[in-house]
Amino acid sequence: MELEVEDIVECPAPEFGEEAEYLALSPIVFMVARPNRSMEYVGPDYPGYADCFYRSVLGKYEKIFGRPFDGDTGFSWSLLSEPKRKGIFMMRFTPEESKVIGYMYKFKLSMSPILHQIMYETGIGEKVNLGFGCVEILRQDTTPNDQNFLSDEKDDTSVKII
């Protein structure tokens, strides 16, 4: 069966404020190193989970702009629903088979609006290139007239994160 594109519709970009509630549309994956240097998947019950969130967003900012975030992040993270653990097999039934463990949940996040935009457009956590860490905005407080932070950050050069 062949599919044909009939129309491409541009979706308006959300306005980002300092606080929003999100729903994970795909599992959010974070890994930490164990003392023996092996990696362990961690969930929201892990004591450093909020820090994993924080480092993930700041790391993406630095990759995009080539410098660390130098403003006040105003960072705060809280869980709003019971997390559901999801194990996904990658390359199933091959010698390279592995299992990725992530968590689906609702959460509330406070931070700089540009960091919200980066997280929303690029995903959160690890393995976003495989489709993990996609989020939907459930509720947000917006900042009027500040719709496109990324273009403002790059000297008015339009930046689209894909």
Side-chain angles (χ1 to χ4, degrees):
M1 170 181 14
E2 287 189 33
L3 300 177
E4 186 177 311
V5 175
E6 291 181 8
D7 196 11
I8 297 175
V9 179
E10 184 176 351
C11 297
E15 293 183 21
F16 296 91
E18 293 190 3
E19 185 176 283
E21 293 177 4
Y22 294 93
L23 169 67
L25 296 176
S26 62
I28 296 174
V29 177
F30 286 113
M31 296 168 38
V32 297
R34 294 181 178 129
N36 67 1
R37 296 188 181 203
S38 66
M39 299 303 285
E40 173 184 7
Y41 291 105
V42 296
D45 60 339
Y46 175 72
Y49 196 78
D51 191 49
C52 291
F53 240 86
Y54 184 69
R55 286 192 326 263
S56 177
V57 174
L58 290 181
K60 288 174 190 258
Y61 179 94
E62 190 167 349
K63 284 180 183 175
I64 291 168
F65 297 112
R67 60 181 163 75
F69 184 76
D70 58 2
D72 176 19
T73 62
F75 184 84
S76 170
W77 177 88
S78 60
L79 190 61
L80 297 178
S81 69
E82 185 68 30
K84 303 233 183 310
R85 185 176 191 251
K86 299 283 182 181
I88 313 281
F89 283 98
M90 307 302 292
M91 301 180 72
R92 190 104 194 231
F93 307 117
T94 69
E96 295 84 25
E97 178 178 287
S98 64
K99 188 173 187 180
V100 176
I101 298 171
Y103 293 82
M104 307 273 292
Y105 50 85
K106 293 178 185 176
F107 61 98
K108 184 176 183 177
L109 193 58
S110 297
M111 61 185 174
S112 171
I114 190 170
L115 298 178
H116 277 280
Q117 184 177 358
I118 288 170
M119 183 197 70
Y120 177 78
E121 293 185 2
T122 65
I124 187 69
E126 300 178 43
K127 305 198 183 290
V128 293
N129 60 319
L130 298 175
F132 294 96
C134 180
V135 296
E136 172 184 26
I137 299 169
L138 295 176
R139 188 193 64 76
Q140 65 182 342
D141 297 329
T142 59
T143 305
N145 302 322
D146 284 337
Q147 194 170 6
N148 192 350
F149 295 101
L150 293 182
S151 64
D152 294 344
E153 192 72 17
K154 277 265 198 184
D155 302 321
D156 294 326
T157 304
S158 182
V159 174
K160 182 163 183 152
I161 299 173
I162 298 176

